[in-house]
Amino acid sequence: EERGEMFVTRQCMDINDQVMLYRGHRNARTMIKQANFWGDQYVISGSDCGRVFVWDKWTGEVVNLLVGDSHVVNCVQPHPCACVLATSGIDYDIKLWEPMSVDKCSLQDLEEIVKRNEVMLQESRNTITVPSSFILHVLAYLNRRRRMRNQESDDRQEQEEDNESQ
């Protein structure tokens, strides 16, 4: 349909329509992960290994790894104008990153990290991660139901005792 000078098309995307795949990170422990563009050259994402992965957008090659959290990095958000990246995870802090060096990043541990992520992904394939708040709600609900059943049972017993004494 036409709107001014812009044409809007409605097409379904198929799994085969992927332009590029970025690999190496792991997303299994938490429900939310972000992937974002960082400028025109990079794609970034958090990982369950506590790192921020930075890929070359055109080649899919990992060009940088940042230790963003002691556990999991969920959110990666670049500043809209400045060359600053905000990351957060399970730790109680938000980190701000800014390029400070012209030296190329050392990726000496990359192969080991990627292999460990692959192994851990395979191990957790059949695992469902449930937030602890959900489990607490279910336990509280079950406890309320148990108390209600006990109260109903006590009420019935009192009713029967009253009927027998009459």
Side-chain angles (χ1 to χ4, degrees):
E1 99 190 31
E2 187 177 334
R3 295 185 182 158
E5 293 183 21
M6 179 173 35
F7 292 93
V8 178
T9 62
R10 299 176 198 274
Q11 294 178 321
C12 293
M13 292 186 73
D14 188 281
I15 190 80
N16 298 321
D17 294 337
Q18 297 170 351
V19 176
M20 178 65 72
L21 292 175
Y22 304 96
R23 299 181 186 269
H25 71 304
R26 177 170 38 103
N27 180 11
R29 290 184 61 194
T30 56
M31 304 292 222
I32 300 170
K33 287 285 184 303
Q34 282 185 328
N36 249 312
F37 292 100
W38 195 9
D40 294 333
Q41 185 65 30
Y42 304 106
V43 171
I44 53 177
S45 177
S47 177
D48 286 350
C49 64
R51 290 175 177 77
V52 176
F53 279 71
V54 182
W55 293 273
D56 180 286
K57 181 171 93 173
W58 306 108
T59 67
E61 177 186 351
V62 176
V63 294
N64 200 350
L65 276 176
L66 308 169
V67 178
D69 193 273
S70 60
H71 301 284
V72 174
V73 176
N74 287 319
C75 300
V76 292
Q77 188 65 48
H79 189 278
C81 304
C83 194
V84 176
L85 175 67
T87 64
S88 66
I90 294 178
D91 288 348
Y92 296 104
D93 53 7
I94 297 171
K95 294 178 178 72
L96 296 178
W97 306 84
E98 184 176 39
M100 303 294 280
S101 175
V102 294
D103 297 333
K104 191 168 183 170
C105 301
S106 170
L107 297 172
Q108 68 184 32
D109 296 335
L110 176 63
E111 191 174 319
E112 178 186 331
I113 292 165
V114 169
K115 282 182 184 176
R116 190 176 327 121
N117 281 347
E118 288 173 1
V119 167
M120 293 183 85
L121 267 175
Q122 288 301 321
E123 289 175 355
S124 63
R125 282 267 185 245
N126 298 322
T127 303
I128 297 173
T129 303
V130 179
S132 59
S133 60
F134 176 78
I135 292 171
L136 291 174
H137 284 292
V138 169
L139 290 173
Y141 171 77
L142 292 173
N143 191 35
R144 281 193 306 272
R145 292 285 307 226
R146 184 177 52 84
R147 278 187 279 148
M148 286 173 51
R149 269 189 259 123
N150 288 343
Q151 182 64 41
E152 289 171 0
S153 176
D154 289 348
D155 291 347
R156 263 188 264 117
Q157 190 174 359
E158 283 180 22
Q159 181 76 23
E160 289 172 5
E161 289 173 2
D162 288 346
N163 289 341
E164 288 176 6
S165 66
Q166 292 177 356

